[in-house]
Amino acid sequence: MSLREKILEDIKSAMKSKEADRLSAVRFLQAAIKNREIELRPNAITEQDVIGVIKKMAKQRKDSISEFEKAGRNDLVDKEKFELKVLEEYLPQQMSQEQVTTIVSEVIAAIGATSMKQMGAVIKEVMNKTGGQADGKMISDLVKSKLQ
């Protein structure tokens, strides 16, 4: 079952079980995927495109949570955290920090990177090796700490 089919099934099940908050979050995700599909026309949307949309929405939720916490809006923080939890159900399993640290070390050794000027090349290669299963910010922070 593809990711899009799973999302459609989850919309149906949320309707049947009358879970309004979950239904709203999944419908919003479906709309974002549909918008991305329209942007990509005439090409078909791929599974990677769908994952990219979900990652983008998850990042937006994380940013919103931090901003709402600063403003003291706990009602909105709870809503965003719930939506983030729903979105994370569709993302591939994320690698642990130890696994990413190992990959970063291997890439730095393979490229022979010694300075911050090579940070972009290292991050690009690490992103390719992790295949979207690691947070970009975590990768950036690890590479930065290793190259300093």
Side-chain angles (χ1 to χ4, degrees):
M1 176 184 289
S2 77
L3 204 49
R4 291 192 70 191
E5 292 169 348
K6 181 174 177 8
I7 291 168
L8 291 174
E9 287 300 315
D10 287 351
I11 288 174
K12 290 176 190 174
S13 67
M15 278 185 201
K16 288 178 183 175
S17 60
K18 297 185 180 9
E19 297 175 76
D21 293 338
R22 184 171 180 77
L23 178 62
S24 172
V26 179
R27 276 186 172 162
F28 192 62
L29 172 59
Q30 176 64 17
I33 292 170
K34 190 71 173 165
N35 285 339
R36 181 69 179 142
E37 185 178 32
I38 291 169
E39 289 172 9
L40 292 174
R41 281 187 184 157
N43 301 326
I45 191 166
T46 65
E47 199 76 9
Q48 282 304 109
D49 293 326
V50 173
I51 291 172
V53 169
I54 297 170
K55 282 184 176 183
K56 181 178 177 185
M57 290 181 69
K59 183 178 183 324
Q60 289 172 343
R61 296 297 167 284
K62 289 175 186 174
D63 293 343
S64 296
I65 289 169
S66 67
E67 291 300 315
F68 289 144
E69 285 174 342
K70 287 179 191 172
R73 295 292 310 266
N74 292 332
D75 56 328
L76 295 174
V77 169
D78 295 340
K79 180 180 182 288
E80 294 292 318
K81 282 184 178 178
F82 177 78
E83 288 182 6
L84 178 61
K85 191 178 120 217
V86 171
L87 291 172
E88 287 175 341
E89 292 174 13
Y90 300 108
L91 289 173
Q93 184 65 36
Q94 296 293 299
M95 293 178 143
S96 69
Q97 187 164 352
E98 293 79 31
Q99 292 172 313
V100 178
T101 303
T102 304
I103 292 173
V104 167
S105 299
E106 290 170 1
V107 169
I108 288 174
I111 293 177
T114 55
S115 71
M116 290 296 286
K117 291 179 181 176
Q118 296 158 312
M119 184 175 170
V122 173
I123 290 176
K124 182 178 178 184
E125 187 61 31
V126 171
M127 291 289 236
N128 288 340
K129 285 192 175 219
T130 58
Q133 293 181 321
D135 181 47
K137 182 164 176 31
M138 179 175 49
I139 291 173
S140 175
D141 293 342
L142 290 171
V143 170
K144 196 177 293 183
S145 69
K146 294 266 188 194
L147 290 179
Q148 285 181 339

